[in-house]
Amino acid sequence: MSNLLIMPILIPLFTGIILIFFANSIKVQRYISGFSALLAIAVSAVLATQVYNDGIQTMNVSNWEAPFGITLVSDMLSALLVLTTSVIAAACLFYSFRSIGEDREKFYYYSIFNFLIVGVNGAFTTGDIFNLFVFFEVMLMASYVLLVLGGTKIQLRESIKYILVNVISSALFVISVAFLYSVVGTLNMAHISVRIAEAGNHGILTVIAVLFLIVFGLKGAIFPLYFWLPGSYYAPPAPVMALFGALLTKVGVYSIIRTYTLFFPHDIFTHDLLQVLSILTIVAGVIGAIAFNDIKKIIIYNIIIAVGVILFGVSIMTKESMTGSVFYLIHDMVIKAALFLIIGIIAKLAGTADLRKMGGLINKYPGLGWTFFIAALALAGIPPLSGFVGKLLIVRSGFESASFWGSGIVLMSSLFVLFSVMKIFMGAFWGSERAFKDEEKVPVKGLLAAPAILTAIAVLYGLGTEAIYPVISLAAETLTNPDIYINAVLKE
């Protein structure tokens, strides 16, 4: 048993509470937030190392043993996602120091920022399906505030849609958990898996599986439930957009992965449905990414493409496809955060997100241009960068399991992704140089540090595949063999 796994939840929680008392001192808020973010990375790295060396870590909150009490569980997938979240949160935080503005900072921006991380890390760590709902709500309440903070017209308009969708999603989540509890009589995830296996193949379990897919699909933005995402993610400033794009949809994806591998691994209908929806998600994302000339919209639709690619790998349900999905999930979190932060700088320089009103930035800002170029290649999965290995494993698994159409669409999507991000590179950085109003006020070098570090991590992630593969493989093994997770939690 380890108490270390609760620290990535407690550190941002106490940080958020402490920062409330320093509302009038932005400098103190920045120092405390920065120290907390670096501490969270260190603790998350130690936790991931501990899980790799000693196996799955569990912690029973209070003295109630599983399955009767609330259990926190950190397997390799959970530990990797918590570590990735901590790194991305730190990058977005340091970027915020130079970009978010005092108007937002004095209205508890850093407190709410930390509460969002509490929800994300809690969702990745909980071993209890009802507490997954609780951490979802913590994450969503913080995201409501971050979305509307600043009070611009577009933020207020999009927040109404975002809150409405998530209120409906939360109601469905509670209903789904209630249905599940009425069938299995437990809320502990490992125990649910055991009870479902004992219950056999009941039709009600397929209905519950579809309900969970709707709930998590709304949060993860799968087809046709992604309609709310492009507008909502477009509204907030760059660091908030990066947090949302890199983390929030991935909590939905993680929840699908966890429930479908632990609760419903043998339900053929729901996995076939997931495969069809994942392919349609890729197609919908591609259409959006190549249709727009708005740099924010292009990257936002690339979120949807990535969700489809990851879930296509999950739907195949082999060890190799799961390894590919975990590889690609972590890659996408890092590279999406980097790209959103970079396009935030581009939009700030140009005073617009419209590609048709940009050009020639490479002459004045070569560092910005070439960082974007490398990040764009990584996103498209150009070898040997980070997106390549995960996509290769997913495609190969698809062909081996005779999912030819799906694998073909995943391959084709890489070309369209490359086209969409190269359109940004050519439109914003090449062409005739333009003079932009107030561009000299933008601290490009200070802002570029965070996305440059994330891009470097993505490059190293791709180049170091051989060293990282055993860690990712261990995460996939727990997903394809649920007994490992069950035995660790229930101590069987």
Side-chain angles (χ1 to χ4, degrees):
M1 183 177 290
S2 168
N3 292 336
L4 192 63
L5 58 87
I6 199 171
M7 294 308 291
I9 301 170
L10 290 183
I11 290 169
L13 175 63
F14 285 121
T15 304
I17 293 168
I18 290 165
L19 291 175
I20 292 170
F21 297 101
F22 294 98
N24 295 324
S25 180
I26 290 168
K27 190 173 280 188
V28 173
Q29 287 192 62
R30 289 176 179 177
Y31 279 124
I32 293 172
S33 299
F35 175 75
S36 167
L38 295 175
L39 180 62
I41 293 173
V43 169
S44 303
V46 173
L47 175 62
T49 306
Q50 191 174 33
V51 172
Y52 182 69
N53 292 329
D54 302 333
I56 296 173
Q57 304 293 303
T58 64
M59 178 184 173
N60 296 316
V61 180
S62 78
N63 289 325
W64 291 93
E65 293 292 322
F68 305 107
I70 295 168
T71 307
L72 299 176
V73 186
S74 189
D75 64 349
M76 201 68 242
L77 175 63
S78 168
L80 285 171
L81 292 179
V82 166
L83 176 58
T84 309
T85 298
S86 300
V87 171
I88 290 167
C92 293
L93 185 76
F94 288 114
Y95 185 97
S96 297
F97 293 166
R98 289 178 170 270
S99 72
I100 203 72
E102 289 192 10
D103 288 344
R104 288 184 171 93
E105 286 177 306
K106 66 187 179 187
F107 281 104
Y108 306 102
Y109 170 78
Y110 295 115
S111 285
I112 304 301
F113 185 105
N114 278 283
F115 292 143
L116 182 85
I117 305 304
V118 172
V120 173
N121 283 344
F124 288 148
T125 308
T126 186
D128 181 287
I129 191 68
F130 186 76
N131 276 286
L132 180 63
F133 165 74
V134 171
F135 282 118
F136 253 73
E137 290 307 296
V138 172
M139 177 184 81
L140 289 173
M141 282 189 283
S143 70
Y144 299 154
V145 180
L146 288 176
L147 181 60
V148 83
L149 198 62
T152 62
K153 186 178 177 181
I154 185 173
Q155 284 179 288
L156 295 171
R157 186 184 72 227
E158 292 299 335
S159 65
I160 294 168
K161 186 203 308 179
Y162 181 77
I163 292 170
L164 184 63
V165 166
N166 281 296
V167 166
I168 294 167
S169 172
S170 296
L172 278 174
F173 197 165
V174 175
I175 292 165
S176 305
V177 171
F179 272 138
L180 186 61
Y181 185 76
S182 71
V183 174
V184 298
T186 183
L187 294 170
N188 182 281
M189 289 189 191
H191 201 217
I192 290 170
S193 184
V194 172
R195 287 286 177 87
I196 286 176
E198 290 170 354
N201 191 19
H202 283 301
I204 186 67
L205 290 172
T206 301
V207 173
I208 292 167
V210 173
L211 272 175
F212 274 117
L213 184 59
I214 293 169
V215 169
F216 299 139
L218 263 170
K219 189 67 252 164
I222 65 170
F223 181 90
L225 306 171
Y226 67 90
F227 59 89
W228 58 272
L229 185 140
S232 298
Y233 281 21
Y234 190 91
V240 177
M241 205 192 316
L243 265 187
F244 284 14
L247 301 181
L248 298 201
T249 49
K250 303 311 184 293
V251 175
V253 170
Y254 164 80
S255 302
I256 292 172
I257 294 172
R258 183 64 79 195
T259 53
Y260 269 50
T261 56
L262 199 56
F263 300 171
F264 316 112
H266 305 300
D267 195 318
I268 305 302
F269 169 76
T270 48
H271 283 83
D272 287 347
L273 175 64
L274 181 62
Q275 186 163 126
V276 171
L277 291 178
S278 66
I279 293 166
L280 291 172
T281 303
I282 296 169
V283 173
V286 162
I287 292 169
I290 61 176
F292 284 97
N293 282 309
D294 186 299
I295 59 174
K296 292 182 184 179
K297 284 277 173 72
I298 291 168
I299 304 299
I300 286 168
Y301 275 98
N302 270 291
I303 296 173
I304 297 167
I305 298 171
V307 167
V309 171
I310 294 161
L311 292 179
F312 177 71
V314 173
S315 71
I316 296 167
M317 280 289 285
T318 63
K319 172 79 185 295
E320 186 177 63
S321 73
M322 281 294 180
T323 306
S325 287
V326 175
F327 245 114
Y328 201 81
L329 174 60
I330 294 167
H331 141 80
D332 194 67
M333 289 170 75
V334 173
I335 210 66
K336 282 295 191 311
L339 283 167
F340 275 118
L341 296 180
I342 293 169
I343 62 168
I345 303 171
I346 297 169
K348 219 174 181 72
L349 283 169
T352 177
D354 191 341
L355 262 181
R356 292 165 295 190
K357 297 175 182 176
M358 299 180 191
L361 285 173
I362 198 80
N363 297 325
K364 289 184 186 174
Y365 311 103
L368 178 66
W370 295 116
T371 303
F372 177 84
F373 181 73
I374 294 166
L377 294 183
L379 180 71
I382 304 299
L385 300 171
S386 57
F388 173 69
V389 177
K391 197 169 278 189
L392 175 68
L393 293 172
I394 291 168
V395 168
R396 195 165 70 182
S397 304
F399 282 126
E400 286 174 358
S401 63
S403 300
F404 302 115
W405 272 103
S407 294
I409 287 170
V410 171
L411 275 176
M412 286 295 292
S413 73
S414 294
L415 295 175
F416 289 113
V417 168
L418 185 63
F419 170 78
S420 69
V421 285
M422 282 300 119
K423 184 165 74 173
I424 297 176
F425 185 66
M426 299 304 290
F429 291 100
W430 297 106
S432 55
E433 193 175 324
R434 300 191 186 195
F436 300 111
K437 187 183 177 184
D438 297 331
E439 66 174 297
E440 66 281 349
K441 294 179 183 177
V442 181
V444 175
K445 287 183 179 176
L447 290 173
L448 186 57
I453 289 168
L454 290 176
T455 306
I457 290 170
V459 171
L460 292 172
Y461 184 61
L463 295 174
T465 298
E466 200 170 332
I468 297 165
Y469 190 86
V471 182
I472 306 291
S473 185
L474 187 63
E477 189 178 351
T478 310
L479 296 173
T480 50
N481 185 3
D483 288 343
I484 299 170
Y485 184 95
I486 293 164
N487 294 339
V489 176
L490 301 180
K491 305 292 188 291
E492 292 180 352

